[in-house]
Amino acid sequence: MFPKPKSALVPNTYAFESEPMVKPTGFREYDARWLFNKEINLMGVQALGIGLGALIAELGVKQEIVTGHDFRGYSASIKYALISGLMTAGCKVHDIGLAVTPMAYFAQFDLDVPCVAMVTASHNDNGWTGVKMGANRPLTFGPDEMTRLKEIVLSAAFDNKAGGSYQFHENYPARYIADLTNRPKLTRKLKVVAACGNGTAGAFAPQVLEAIGCEVIPLDTELDHTFPKYDPNPEDMEMLHAIRDAVLAHKADVGLGFDGDGDRCGVVDNTGEEIFADKVGVMLARDMSAINANAQFVVDVKSTGLFVTDPVLQKQGANTVYWKTGHSYMKRRTNELGALAGFEKSGHFFFNKPFGRGYDDGLVSAIAICEMLDRAPGKSMADLKDALPKTWSSPTMSPHCADEAKYGVVDAVVKHFETLQQQGAQVAGQTIRDLVTVNGVRVTVADGSWGLVRASSNKPELVVVVESPVSERRMRDMFEAMDSVLRTHPEVGEYNQKI
């Protein structure tokens, strides 16, 4: 028997070394995230592995799984504890070693393995760890699977099972890189800044971009798990500004920034201006729908309204639906609809054939951006961006809110705006034109300005985004309107960044 995990244990004690600790809030909507040694210990990770193996068997899926780990000082030890648990549950484990998350997704196809468990904290601060899991490629777990996994692990509802085994795949990245670069070289000579924030992508991104024909300016590509400059997060303005400076210094055509586990890509144009990922998505949708008739796209509720209103997309027959934020939700919806691509404002992009296999890969996104520029030989990245209808958009802003409180706060905010809509009341000086409540609440007023409040799926935070097609002032009006509602809830703390 394996002991039931405790929700809290004190480090540097006998109990901490002899019992599993798993804080229940670490089981998120579509993956798992904990502060290592504060919310989960190695024995807790082992319990997670046994529970995951048991869930895979319960789902009726072959107990064979790919695993890898990102570049953190503690990720390898966490992966081996997870592997120990998976083998205890009877799983055959295929270990690809140090990897970006999409390399693990690729390995599911390349090695013909149904399941995946990638140890990564993505772009989170050091101290965090987590696992991205799936048992039905190219999809990853959603709320149903995560809820059941939580039940199994916390109740220790599993038994040891014979048949577990382990195989390490030596030099596996070469197979992934070969797959990405098996394409015609670019005809246009592009100078590209590849920024990796000293995260895992630094081991692979420059090599891939050079292989497709780019001249690469590496920026913070040396692996350093202390993240000495900034966290590798292409939504973070500090990272975007570092890319801007490098683009201007080297007169680059584009700056591409990759997050800690390489499944997202941020973009800075040739003038040094960052382009938020949803606008990049509109640019890619224009490019892709020009060569694919009646293209279907899926975008998340944090994304710009241009996906629906852009005249070029309308003329090219593109159709776009809005869906829940979160890489697992978006991946699943893009797959269900057979959409050409899915675009999430955070930078998770999902390309189906002929562009990809349906999972999010920052390097596939980077290649798509370079190929878009290749198909527009007389135009710069700024030209393509400036051709979009003008809107004023905020970055993703995240006020702190405890995991135990955030969903209740969001429910109250949704009810607040639903009541205002029923009363015909105004928000930011205008009547409400539309409410989308598929994921938090997206409030659109009469002039097309909108604001979103939702709960973060992987951190103790809320998420706030605002946009206006009218003016910067109207964008700020929408922020003040959304923030004034949040300020009525004492559980909501300070923002990580604000406009």
Side-chain angles (χ1 to χ4, degrees), residues 251-298:
K251 296 183 170 56
D253 295 293
V254 66
L256 302 171
F258 302 93
D259 73 332
D261 67 331
D263 56 12
R264 294 189 293 132
C265 178
V267 181
V268 172
D269 74 17
N270 52 295
T271 70
E273 185 173 326
E274 63 270 7
I275 312 176
F276 294 129
D278 54 346
K279 298 288 181 66
V280 176
V282 176
M283 294 159 67
L284 287 169
R286 279 182 163 194
D287 177 59
M288 294 165 70
S289 61
I291 55 178
N292 291 271
N294 303 311
Q296 169 83 54
F297 300 105
V298 179

Side-chain angles (χ1 to χ4, degrees), residues 89-149:
C91 291
K92 179 177 181 180
V93 178
H94 295 265
D95 184 2
I96 61 170
L98 180 70
V100 286
T101 294
M103 193 185 299
Y105 299 152
F106 164 73
Q108 287 179 273
F109 289 86
D110 181 53
L111 301 175
D112 192 22
V113 173
C115 305
V116 66
M118 175 68 193
V119 172
T120 177
S122 187
H123 63 277
N124 284 24
D125 303 349
N126 264 323
W128 285 92
T129 189
V131 187
K132 292 180 177 177
M133 295 162 278
N136 181 20
R137 65 191 183 207
L139 308 182
T140 40
F141 283 172
D144 292 345
E145 295 94 340
M146 290 305 300
T147 299
R148 180 61 185 138
L149 179 63

Side-chain angles (χ1 to χ4, degrees), residues 81-365:
L82 185 74
I83 289 170
S84 169
L86 288 165
M87 291 172 61
T88 299
C91 291
K92 179 177 181 180
V93 178
H94 295 265
D95 184 2
I96 61 170
L98 180 70
V100 286
T101 294
M103 193 185 299
Y105 299 152
F106 164 73
Q108 287 179 273
F109 289 86
D110 181 53
L111 301 175
D112 192 22
V113 173
C115 305
V116 66
M118 175 68 193
V119 172
T120 177
S122 187
H123 63 277
N124 284 24
D125 303 349
N126 264 323
W128 285 92
T129 189
V131 187
K132 292 180 177 177
M133 295 162 278
N136 181 20
R137 65 191 183 207
L139 308 182
T140 40
F141 283 172
D144 292 345
E145 295 94 340
M146 290 305 300
T147 299
R148 180 61 185 138
L149 179 63
K150 180 179 179 179
E151 290 170 353
I152 293 171
V153 173
L154 296 184
S155 63
F158 40 65
D159 298 306
N160 291 9
K161 185 177 174 183
S165 63
Y166 173 84
Q167 180 178 354
F168 183 79
H169 293 268
E170 194 174 0
N171 300 322
Y172 193 77
R175 293 166 71 161
Y176 168 70
I177 291 169
D179 181 75
L180 283 175
T181 57
N182 182 24
R183 62 183 66 237
K185 283 204 173 190
L186 302 173
T187 58
R188 180 178 178 181
K189 191 65 177 176
L190 295 174
K191 185 185 285 189
V192 176
V193 171
C196 300
N198 303 109
T200 322
F204 314 109
Q207 187 177 344
V208 168
L209 291 169
E210 283 177 358
I212 67 166
C214 296
E215 178 187 345
V216 175
I217 310 297
L219 178 65
D220 302 323
T221 56
E222 307 81 13
L223 298 185
D224 186 340
H225 51 62
T226 67
F227 302 148
K229 306 271 185 74
Y230 42 74
D231 289 330
N233 180 6
E235 277 193 293
D236 190 316
M237 300 309 291
E238 195 174 357
M239 184 173 187
L240 288 167
H241 289 161
I243 300 172
R244 171 199 64 196
D245 294 345
V247 166
L248 294 176
H250 294 278
K251 296 183 170 56
D253 295 293
V254 66
L256 302 171
F258 302 93
D259 73 332
D261 67 331
D263 56 12
R264 294 189 293 132
C265 178
V267 181
V268 172
D269 74 17
N270 52 295
T271 70
E273 185 173 326
E274 63 270 7
I275 312 176
F276 294 129
D278 54 346
K279 298 288 181 66
V280 176
V282 176
M283 294 159 67
L284 287 169
R286 279 182 163 194
D287 177 59
M288 294 165 70
S289 61
I291 55 178
N292 291 271
N294 303 311
Q296 169 83 54
F297 300 105
V298 179
V299 300
D300 77 316
V301 292
K302 286 163 49 178
S303 291
T304 176
L306 287 178
F307 282 102
V308 171
T309 61
D310 177 46
V312 173
L313 289 179
Q314 290 176 345
K315 182 181 177 184
Q316 291 175 179
N319 179 52
T320 301
V321 298
Y322 284 85
W323 196 240
K324 297 177 184 179
T325 291
H327 68 85
S328 189
Y329 296 126
M330 287 289 297
K331 205 171 335 195
R332 191 172 296 262
R333 192 64 172 162
T334 303
N335 183 268
E336 287 170 350
L337 296 179
L340 192 61
F343 301 111
E344 191 180 10
K345 187 178 171 71
S346 66
H348 286 281
F349 291 173
F350 314 90
F351 297 98
N352 278 321
K353 291 180 180 178
F355 299 94
R357 295 182 179 86
Y359 53 79
D360 37 340
D361 186 334
L363 283 167
V364 172
S365 301

Side-chain angles (χ1 to χ4, degrees), residues 332-414:
R332 191 172 296 262
R333 192 64 172 162
T334 303
N335 183 268
E336 287 170 350
L337 296 179
L340 192 61
F343 301 111
E344 191 180 10
K345 187 178 171 71
S346 66
H348 286 281
F349 291 173
F350 314 90
F351 297 98
N352 278 321
K353 291 180 180 178
F355 299 94
R357 295 182 179 86
Y359 53 79
D360 37 340
D361 186 334
L363 283 167
V364 172
S365 301
I367 291 167
I369 290 161
C370 291
E371 290 184 338
M372 173 179 69
L373 285 167
D374 202 39
R375 283 190 282 268
K379 295 181 179 177
S380 68
M381 196 72 189
D383 292 335
L384 296 177
K385 175 201 67 185
D386 292 342
L388 299 179
K390 176 72 174 172
T391 67
W392 288 262
S393 307
S394 76
T396 299
M397 302 172 285
S398 299
H400 184 270
C401 191
D403 288 319
E404 296 83 351
K406 64 188 182 185
Y407 293 104
V409 170
V410 169
D411 287 344
V413 172
V414 172

